[in-house]
Amino acid sequence: MTLIGNIAARLIVGALALVTIPGCSGAETAPNLRQIECVGQYAIALPGAVEFALTKRESLLNRNGDLNVAFPDGFQPAHARFFLDRKIDISAPTSDSDFATLRSEVEEAALKRKKDFLKVGKKQISDAIEPFKVPGADSFAWRTAAGIEVYTYKGGHIYRFTAHADTQKKDEVIRAQAFLGNMKGRATFEIPSEKGVCFPHSFLRTEGHPTYEVGAAMRLVDYPEVEIFFEDSFRLEPGPGSTSRDSKSQVIFFVEAVLSNQYSEPAYHWYPASFMMGGNVGKAAFVNVRRGDNGNDFVFIAAATGATGQTVSSRDLLLYISRNSARAKGTPISEAKFRALAEAIAMSVKPIR
């Protein structure tokens, strides 16, 4: 069996071994989690086909805003973001002719900004806006006073990498070349054998311990009312205030801040303190919520945060699974089946290697 096959088999067996988590209802057995997807450096088992929330086409010209992603039908997920070194945008499936159109649109917008800055006397900023050469016919890049923007077309998707400006232009070129040389297209449920970080439909080969934050929003094709967000983040130096952060506060923050535009009146039902996810101790809750249209639904959320055992690094895992019955194609998934599904997915999370 190949390395990829071994990984998939190990994860599926681990997921299917679960029936219930101590302290939960146990009303339903775990569903068949027959597919394995990778997010960041972790694998997660899923019951079937999924669709990802990806960068909107019009947002590839917009350098600002985090909520620039959507599912194929236009619904926005609760959350999604992709960072490795700096921000990465991933488009929905598109054609090479659309990529050629985008190249022209980016050039037109850049030249317009260049002229506009010159008109108001900001010559230094205007002069900084220029294209620079990168390898590959399906790639192009622009430099501004703020940083670089690198675009490439791989496997039917457009990828954009944005980064802050470096002191030396040659360093910007090196970063652009590293991104283009290491970014690879990847089929959904394909687990790479190389070391690196998984993004939706793609994989970025890395060395050492890169700082990254990959939060992928997925929706089950068979149950479009079920939205899954899984985030794996790793940093060498924990950010401000991270030393006082704990898993329970992360769960509450996500529900009451990030999800506040979709749900209200959360009622928490906490799992035991010994809840495990990805081999780490964390906290999990089943949360009854009210939708904006006053319908009742529920959310499963788990977080495992904190140090990895090294004094200068931190790995955080967060899994959020929700049911929005207003989006169901027919009869929504039942609470008992949803709970069993969410618990099984949470327990399936494991490092890829």
Side-chain angles (χ1 to χ4, degrees):
M1 183 178 290
T2 65
L3 173 61
I4 294 175
N6 275 318
I7 292 170
R10 175 169 55 87
L11 290 166
I12 290 174
V13 168
L16 296 181
L18 171 74
V19 176
T20 58
I21 298 173
C24 59
S25 64
E28 294 239 1
T29 58
N32 181 12
L33 302 183
R34 61 186 184 274
Q35 300 286 5
I36 304 296
E37 175 62 345
C38 62
V39 177
Q41 293 183 343
Y42 278 71
I44 181 171
L46 300 165
V50 296
E51 52 190 9
F52 289 94
L54 299 169
T55 305
K56 301 175 193 175
R57 171 61 172 80
E58 61 270 21
S59 296
L60 291 172
L61 290 170
N62 178 14
R63 291 174 292 171
N64 301 310
D66 287 334
L67 289 178
N68 59 350
V69 297
F71 289 109
D73 58 6
F75 277 114
Q76 282 195 326
H79 202 46
R81 55 181 166 186
F82 314 117
F83 287 85
L84 195 153
D85 185 17
R86 291 296 182 266
K87 188 180 181 194
I88 296 173
D89 291 291
I90 305 166
S91 81
T94 189
S95 64
D96 54 357
S97 61
D98 185 47
F99 181 69
T101 299
L102 178 68
R103 185 195 295 256
S104 298
E105 292 173 349
V106 170
E107 179 179 8
E108 182 180 348
L111 294 177
K112 183 180 184 302
R113 292 199 305 271
K114 189 177 182 75
K115 291 179 180 178
D116 290 344
F117 279 123
L118 193 59
K119 286 179 182 178
V120 296
K122 296 182 178 181
K123 185 176 185 302
Q124 186 175 0
I125 297 178
S126 175
D127 290 344
I129 300 174
E130 60 180 5
F132 65 96
K133 191 173 182 179
V134 291
D138 289 332
S139 303
F140 66 94
W142 280 81
R143 179 183 288 113
T144 70
I148 60 172
E149 300 175 9
V150 183
Y151 297 79
T152 189
Y153 180 73
K154 293 178 184 286
H157 297 268
I158 297 171
Y159 299 88
R160 180 180 66 172
F161 172 72
T162 55
H164 294 312
D166 284 301
T167 305
Q168 301 292 327
K169 289 185 177 181
K170 65 178 182 179
D171 293 331
E172 295 176 340
V173 174
I174 291 172
R175 291 172 81 184
Q177 291 175 337
F179 170 73
L180 293 172
N182 291 312
M183 175 61 80
K184 296 182 175 182
R186 176 181 67 86
T188 304
F189 307 133
E190 176 187 348
I191 308 297
S193 58
E194 298 177 273
K195 184 177 180 180
V197 178
C198 288
F199 297 85
H201 304 295
S202 55
F203 173 77
L204 193 58
R205 188 173 50 205
T206 62
E207 297 293 337
H209 299 284
T211 296
Y212 66 86
E213 185 174 352
V214 183
M218 300 167 266
R219 200 166 58 183
L220 299 181
V221 171
D222 292 338
Y223 294 97
E225 70 271 27
V226 177
E227 182 179 321
I228 302 167
F229 171 79
F230 178 62
E231 181 176 69
D232 169 29
S233 62
F234 181 85
R235 53 190 177 278
L236 294 177
E237 295 181 2
S242 62
T243 54
S244 62
R245 187 173 53 195
D246 64 88
S247 298
K248 185 173 182 178
S249 65
Q250 285 294 90
V251 167
I252 294 173
F253 173 81
F254 196 86
V255 172
E256 299 185 9
V258 179
L259 302 183
S260 60
N261 64 331
Q262 292 190 6
Y263 302 112
S264 62
E265 302 178 26
Y268 297 88
H269 307 280
W270 294 97
Y271 287 84
S274 59
F275 180 84
M276 298 288 292
M277 183 170 66
N280 300 320
V281 178
K283 289 293 292 183
F286 191 85
V287 190
N288 293 95
V289 293
R290 186 177 294 278
R291 300 193 311 269
D293 60 2
N294 289 322
N296 295 316
D297 262 310
F298 24 82
V299 168
F300 172 92
I301 184 165
T305 66
T308 61
Q310 304 173 40
T311 57
V312 293
S313 67
S314 177
R315 180 181 296 282
D316 294 345
L317 302 176
L318 189 143
L319 174 67
Y320 150 77
I321 306 175
S322 69
R323 187 196 80 165
N324 186 331
S325 56
R327 298 180 182 177
K329 290 189 293 188
T331 302
I333 187 171
S334 69
E335 179 175 348
K337 188 172 183 179
F338 172 86
R339 186 190 287 261
L341 173 66
E343 291 166 355
I345 291 174
M347 294 299 288
S348 77
V349 173
K350 289 179 174 62
I352 293 176
R353 57 183 58 82

